Amino acid sequence: MRLPSPPRECKAHFTGLLITLLVLCGGRALALAPAVELGQFSRQVWQTENGLPQNTVHCVIQTRDGYVWAATEEGLARFDGRGFVVFDKENTPQLKSNDVRSVFQDKQGALWLSTAEGLVRLSNGEAAVFTIQQGLPSNDVELAYEDRAGDIWVGTSGGLSRYREGAFANFATRDGLAAGSVQALFEDAEGALWVGTTDGLSRFKDGRFESFD
């Protein structure tokens, strides 16, 4: 099974993994057509009884090899169209927490996992763990995002961090960030980074923050 690739900035929460396939005779549906009965659509739901490790799904992506990955509060699940393989603290020691908030694949093909106990990068069968010991402002990581230049931005409960050439640079309210807890990240067409926090929205451009609350 191959699904459309979602955006990298996953922040939606789902109860269970719900994939709805909209099938209409003779064409593609972009939304639910009011004249079509629900019985003409098909859906499939995957929950713990179907192999998910936990039913709260924070993020879903599809990697370039076709796998679908689901970040849950009890580990990361990989779906191949038939079943799930779960990665958690028991079989992946580099995961210090099963609470996986988001996952994305960077331009080099590595997977980045944001967890309640640090950031994990999976690449070529090896795992690297990033915590406050490696320079993050907090181990409580909400999400990670890659901009067009290849920098990895990390949103944590203790501020924003940029990973470039193996080192972290951290940004906090003293630098103009609206609040310390970062919840969302997005780069616009002009190259500005928009940062959603628990107390307002910030825009980072040309090395400076502008905040909106």
Side-chain angles (χ1 to χ4, degrees), residues 71-134:
T72 83
E73 294 181 358
E74 287 296 337
L76 180 69
R78 186 185 70 193
F79 185 62
D80 63 2
R82 293 174 295 180
F84 292 94
V85 174
V86 176
F87 301 87
D88 57 22
K89 292 191 299 183
E90 292 187 4
N91 59 26
T92 309
Q94 293 83 358
L95 276 175
K96 304 305 179 184
S97 170
N98 284 339
D99 186 1
V100 182
R101 278 80 178 273
S102 74
V103 55
F104 87 92
Q105 185 178 37
D106 68 18
K107 295 180 178 70
Q108 305 302 317
L111 280 182
W112 294 78
L113 316 181
S114 301
T115 82
E117 293 292 340
L119 182 68
V120 180
R121 181 183 64 201
L122 303 176
S123 179
N124 298 320
E126 297 184 356
V129 181
F130 304 96
T131 65
I132 56 175
Q133 293 180 334
Q134 285 73 40

Side-chain angles (χ1 to χ4, degrees), residues 177-188:
L177 192 63
S181 183
V182 176
Q183 303 291 303
L185 295 167
F186 176 75
E187 183 183 21
D188 67 20

Side-chain angles (χ1 to χ4, degrees), residues 8 104-107 144-148 150-153:
R8 290 173 294 177
F104 87 92
Q105 185 178 37
D106 68 18
K107 295 180 178 70
Y145 180 87
E146 184 177 24
D147 65 19
R148 288 191 289 274
D151 292 339
I152 305 296
W153 294 86

Side-chain angles (χ1 to χ4, degrees), residues 135-205:
L136 281 177
S138 169
N139 288 343
D140 187 18
V141 180
E142 190 67 30
L143 78 162
Y145 180 87
E146 184 177 24
D147 65 19
R148 288 191 289 274
D151 292 339
I152 305 296
W153 294 86
V154 186
T156 81
S157 63
L160 177 67
S161 191
R162 181 183 63 204
Y163 184 71
R164 176 189 290 173
E165 297 179 352
F168 288 99
N170 297 327
F171 305 90
T173 53
R174 64 179 177 273
D175 303 301
L177 192 63
S181 183
V182 176
Q183 303 291 303
L185 295 167
F186 176 75
E187 183 183 21
D188 67 20
E190 297 179 351
L193 184 75
W194 292 81
V195 184
T197 78
T198 53
D199 194 27
L201 180 66
S202 296
R203 180 175 60 188
F204 184 73
K205 187 176 182 181

